[in-house]
Amino acid sequence: MRKVLCLLCMMAASVGFSQSANHFYLKNVDRVVFYGDSITAQRLYTMIAETYVVTRYPQLNVTFVNSGWGGDTVNGGLGGTIDTRLQRDVIAYNPTVITIMLGMNDGGYKAETEDNDEKYFNGYRHIVTTVRSALPQIRITAIEPSPYDDVTGPPAFPVLSNIHYNDVMMSYGKWIANYAKQANLDVADLNTGLVKTLENAKALDPKGAKDIIPGHIHPSFAGHMIMAEELLKAWKARPVVAAVTIDASRQEPRIRLAEHTSISRLSGGNGIQWTELDDALPLPFPQWEAMWGGGAAAGLVIRSSDITAALNEEPLKIEGLKSGVYALRIDSKKIGAFNNDELAGGINLALMETPMTNQAMKVYDLTVSHGDIHDARWRTVQVSLAPYDLPQTKATMEYLDALERTVIEKQHEVAQPTPHRFEVIPLS
């Protein structure tokens, strides 16, 4: 009977994965190019989003390229004219998906003007028509630009002291939303959610809230977490990593829920034990809170937003336990102590350091590594050395491309979930 139950759970998990993957915006063998200015060139919201995709849908073979360049506008910038940028940094990669986030520099850091609006609207249209002309099947996610922080303190530039520069970004966002309906584009709003988070964070911690977008323009890692959340929500991201409910009220515990996971070797006695194989990994929130660049601001953002509910739910419920305090261990590692009421109500494993979040952090580290390799190949070799026609340039680019492919293969390998042994033991 137990074998049959485990088989049914595995079948349910398989069906759940198939359905959730079918609803997700990205598909197998998609190639995604993130296009934008310095906020995209920070390679933060892009790497967070990539880490989510690789860990939540480890069976999907999706690759990512960051083509953000500081100072860019819809007409190009220091990285070249817009047509140079689009041909070299987008079309050359033959993507199936492109995201476009521009606007911060297009507004000119002043009140909205008709002239700037016209340049922005015409330039944005040119980007879309140029990319579609070269790649007719491409799917485009038009991003309503991230905010200028008018919430947590006075503006960075005196010239902005009498205006709210984010009003300009919001105006561009409204135009993008309307244009997207005409041009059949997908849309992600990276402004509204981050502004709401800033407001909530300011109410909780006015000083700490300033660290979410230090300098008002470029978000910290914490701010980029919300930007990635909003992009992923627009892509119909799955919020649940895995969900397990176990009924421990009887001598033989029973599985009530096993979503996106399979349970085996469930037993009772002194507490309960089981083996669990999820089909995904959580985002490594505890590690991101502790890492350099995240710090307290990351924790503040998690408390001030819906990012956990939107992206990182990994609930474990144990119902019917006798009154008392219990230790949770995974692979013999101490995770925490919880009373029976807490376990009955459910705990979110994604908010705790576990073997699963540690594995996900390794995926993130590899995501950063392949982004670093690509950035060096692109900026330092391809673009910077192009005027000199050096004989070693092509070979160096080919070597770095091969190295990046190897790192991406390792990234996907590390993202594959492994089984873990769970124990819930009463503490005397």
Side-chain angles (χ1 to χ4, degrees), residues 235-260:
W235 283 351
K236 298 180 172 60
R238 177 180 118 197
V240 177
V241 182
V244 173
T245 301
I246 296 174
D247 179 3
S249 63
R250 300 183 181 185
Q251 186 174 359
E252 288 290 330
R254 296 181 299 171
I255 302 169
R256 288 199 177 277
L257 174 69
E259 182 181 0
H260 302 298

Short mmCIF file of all heavy atoms in Angstrom, two decimals, residues 235-260:
data_model
loop_
_atom_site.label_atom_id
_atom_site.label_comp_id
_atom_site.label_asym_id
_atom_site.label_seq_id
_atom_site.Cartn_x
_atom_site.Cartn_y
_atom_site.Cartn_z
N TRP A 235 6.06 36.73 -16.12
CA TRP A 235 6.31 35.49 -16.87
C TRP A 235 5.53 34.31 -16.29
O TRP A 235 5.77 33.17 -16.67
CB TRP A 235 7.79 35.18 -16.87
CG TRP A 235 8.59 36.02 -17.83
CD1 TRP A 235 8.12 36.87 -18.77
CD2 TRP A 235 10.03 36.06 -17.93
NE1 TRP A 235 9.16 37.45 -19.47
CE2 TRP A 235 10.35 36.96 -18.97
CE3 TRP A 235 11.07 35.42 -17.25
CZ2 TRP A 235 11.67 37.25 -19.34
CZ3 TRP A 235 12.37 35.70 -17.62
CH2 TRP A 235 12.67 36.60 -18.65
N LYS A 236 4.60 34.58 -15.36
CA LYS A 236 3.76 33.54 -14.74
C LYS A 236 4.59 32.53 -13.96
O LYS A 236 4.41 31.31 -14.07
CB LYS A 236 2.88 32.84 -15.79
CG LYS A 236 1.90 33.80 -16.49
CD LYS A 236 1.07 33.06 -17.51
CE LYS A 236 -0.04 33.97 -18.07
NZ LYS A 236 0.48 35.18 -18.73
N ALA A 237 5.48 33.04 -13.16
CA ALA A 237 6.36 32.20 -12.36
C ALA A 237 5.58 31.40 -11.32
O ALA A 237 4.57 31.87 -10.79
CB ALA A 237 7.41 33.06 -11.65
N ARG A 238 6.05 30.23 -11.04
CA ARG A 238 5.44 29.34 -10.05
C ARG A 238 5.93 29.73 -8.65
O ARG A 238 7.14 29.71 -8.39
CB ARG A 238 5.84 27.91 -10.37
CG ARG A 238 5.36 26.86 -9.40
CD ARG A 238 5.84 25.49 -9.87
NE ARG A 238 6.72 24.85 -8.92
CZ ARG A 238 7.53 23.83 -9.21
NH1 ARG A 238 7.58 23.38 -10.46
NH2 ARG A 238 8.29 23.29 -8.29
N PRO A 239 5.04 30.04 -7.72
CA PRO A 239 5.48 30.47 -6.38
C PRO A 239 5.96 29.33 -5.50
O PRO A 239 6.78 29.54 -4.61
CB PRO A 239 4.24 31.13 -5.78
CG PRO A 239 3.09 30.51 -6.51
CD PRO A 239 3.59 30.23 -7.90
N VAL A 240 5.46 28.12 -5.74
CA VAL A 240 5.73 27.00 -4.84
C VAL A 240 6.94 26.21 -5.31
O VAL A 240 7.00 25.76 -6.46
CB VAL A 240 4.51 26.07 -4.73
CG1 VAL A 240 4.83 24.86 -3.85
CG2 VAL A 240 3.31 26.83 -4.16
N VAL A 241 7.89 26.03 -4.41
CA VAL A 241 9.03 25.14 -4.67
C VAL A 241 8.55 23.70 -4.53
O VAL A 241 8.63 22.90 -5.47
CB VAL A 241 10.18 25.41 -3.67
CG1 VAL A 241 11.37 24.52 -3.98
CG2 VAL A 241 10.57 26.88 -3.68
N ALA A 242 8.08 23.37 -3.36
CA ALA A 242 7.49 22.07 -3.05
C ALA A 242 6.64 22.26 -1.80
O ALA A 242 6.95 23.12 -0.97
CB ALA A 242 8.57 21.02 -2.82
N ALA A 243 5.59 21.48 -1.66
CA ALA A 243 4.71 21.58 -0.50
C ALA A 243 4.41 20.18 0.03
O ALA A 243 4.03 19.30 -0.74
CB ALA A 243 3.41 22.29 -0.87
N VAL A 244 4.60 20.01 1.33
CA VAL A 244 4.39 18.71 1.96
C VAL A 244 3.54 18.88 3.21
O VAL A 244 3.80 19.78 4.03
CB VAL A 244 5.74 18.06 2.34
CG1 VAL A 244 5.51 16.78 3.16
CG2 VAL A 244 6.56 17.76 1.10
N THR A 245 2.52 18.04 3.35
CA THR A 245 1.73 17.95 4.57
C THR A 245 1.67 16.49 4.98
O THR A 245 1.31 15.63 4.17
CB THR A 245 0.31 18.49 4.37
OG1 THR A 245 0.37 19.86 3.96
CG2 THR A 245 -0.49 18.40 5.68
N ILE A 246 2.01 16.24 6.24
CA ILE A 246 2.01 14.88 6.78
C ILE A 246 1.10 14.82 8.00
O ILE A 246 1.14 15.70 8.86
CB ILE A 246 3.44 14.44 7.15
CG1 ILE A 246 4.31 14.37 5.89
CG2 ILE A 246 3.43 13.09 7.87
CD1 ILE A 246 5.77 14.08 6.17
N ASP A 247 0.27 13.79 8.04
CA ASP A 247 -0.60 13.54 9.19
C ASP A 247 0.12 12.57 10.12
O ASP A 247 0.33 11.41 9.78
CB ASP A 247 -1.93 12.95 8.71
CG ASP A 247 -2.88 12.63 9.85
OD1 ASP A 247 -2.54 12.91 11.01
OD2 ASP A 247 -3.97 12.08 9.57
N ALA A 248 0.50 13.07 11.30
CA ALA A 248 1.22 12.25 12.27
C ALA A 248 0.34 11.85 13.44
O ALA A 248 0.84 11.48 14.51
CB ALA A 248 2.45 13.01 12.77
N SER A 249 -0.97 11.91 13.27
CA SER A 249 -1.88 11.65 14.39
C SER A 249 -2.01 10.16 14.69
O SER A 249 -2.48 9.78 15.76
CB SER A 249 -3.27 12.23 14.09
OG SER A 249 -3.84 11.61 12.96
N ARG A 250 -1.61 9.33 13.75
CA ARG A 250 -1.71 7.89 13.94
C ARG A 250 -0.31 7.28 14.07
O ARG A 250 0.70 7.94 13.79
CB ARG A 250 -2.45 7.25 12.77
CG ARG A 250 -3.86 7.78 12.59
CD ARG A 250 -4.57 7.07 11.46
NE ARG A 250 -5.92 7.60 11.25
CZ ARG A 250 -6.79 7.10 10.38
NH1 ARG A 250 -6.47 6.05 9.65
NH2 ARG A 250 -7.99 7.63 10.25
N GLN A 251 -0.29 6.02 14.47
CA GLN A 251 0.99 5.34 14.63
C GLN A 251 1.74 5.29 13.30
O GLN A 251 2.96 5.43 13.26
CB GLN A 251 0.79 3.93 15.17
CG GLN A 251 2.10 3.21 15.49
CD GLN A 251 1.86 1.86 16.17
OE1 GLN A 251 0.73 1.48 16.41
NE2 GLN A 251 2.93 1.17 16.49
N GLU A 252 1.00 5.07 12.21
CA GLU A 252 1.60 5.09 10.88
C GLU A 252 1.28 6.44 10.23
O GLU A 252 0.13 6.69 9.86
CB GLU A 252 1.04 3.95 10.03
CG GLU A 252 1.53 2.58 10.42
CD GLU A 252 3.00 2.39 10.08
OE1 GLU A 252 3.48 2.99 9.10
OE2 GLU A 252 3.67 1.64 10.81
N PRO A 253 2.24 7.35 10.12
CA PRO A 253 1.96 8.67 9.53
C PRO A 253 1.54 8.53 8.07
O PRO A 253 1.92 7.58 7.38
CB PRO A 253 3.29 9.41 9.67
CG PRO A 253 4.32 8.34 9.82
CD PRO A 253 3.65 7.20 10.52
N ARG A 254 0.76 9.50 7.61
CA ARG A 254 0.24 9.47 6.25
C ARG A 254 0.55 10.78 5.54
O ARG A 254 0.59 11.85 6.16
CB ARG A 254 -1.27 9.24 6.26
CG ARG A 254 -1.72 7.90 6.83
CD ARG A 254 -3.23 7.77 6.77
NE ARG A 254 -3.90 8.81 7.55
CZ ARG A 254 -5.21 9.04 7.55
NH1 ARG A 254 -5.99 8.32 6.75
NH2 ARG A 254 -5.73 9.98 8.31
N ILE A 255 0.72 10.69 4.22
CA ILE A 255 0.95 11.89 3.40
C ILE A 255 -0.40 12.47 3.01
O ILE A 255 -1.24 11.79 2.41
CB ILE A 255 1.74 11.54 2.13
CG1 ILE A 255 3.08 10.90 2.48
CG2 ILE A 255 1.95 12.78 1.27
CD1 ILE A 255 3.78 10.30 1.29
N ARG A 256 -0.61 13.72 3.37
CA ARG A 256 -1.84 14.42 2.95
C ARG A 256 -1.60 15.24 1.68
O ARG A 256 -2.52 15.44 0.89
CB ARG A 256 -2.34 15.33 4.07
CG ARG A 256 -2.95 14.58 5.25
CD ARG A 256 -3.81 15.52 6.08
NE ARG A 256 -4.47 14.85 7.18
CZ ARG A 256 -5.60 14.17 7.07
NH1 ARG A 256 -6.18 14.06 5.89
NH2 ARG A 256 -6.13 13.59 8.14
N LEU A 257 -0.40 15.76 1.51
CA LEU A 257 -0.10 16.58 0.34
C LEU A 257 1.37 16.40 -0.02
O LEU A 257 2.24 16.44 0.85
CB LEU A 257 -0.37 18.06 0.63
CG LEU A 257 0.05 19.05 -0.48
CD1 LEU A 257 -0.86 18.90 -1.71
CD2 LEU A 257 0.00 20.49 0.04
N ALA A 258 1.63 16.20 -1.29
CA ALA A 258 3.01 16.16 -1.81
C ALA A 258 2.98 16.84 -3.17
O ALA A 258 2.71 16.20 -4.20
CB ALA A 258 3.52 14.74 -1.91
N GLU A 259 3.19 18.14 -3.17
CA GLU A 259 3.11 18.95 -4.40
C GLU A 259 4.51 19.27 -4.89
O GLU A 259 5.35 19.78 -4.15
CB GLU A 259 2.34 20.24 -4.11
CG GLU A 259 2.16 21.12 -5.33
CD GLU A 259 1.42 22.41 -5.01
OE1 GLU A 259 1.05 22.62 -3.83
OE2 GLU A 259 1.23 23.21 -5.94
N HIS A 260 4.77 18.97 -6.16
CA HIS A 260 6.09 19.17 -6.77
C HIS A 260 7.18 18.41 -6.03
O HIS A 260 8.31 18.90 -5.90
CB HIS A 260 6.43 20.66 -6.84
CG HIS A 260 5.43 21.47 -7.61
ND1 HIS A 260 5.15 21.27 -8.94
CD2 HIS A 260 4.60 22.48 -7.21
CE1 HIS A 260 4.22 22.12 -9.34
NE2 HIS A 260 3.86 22.85 -8.32
#
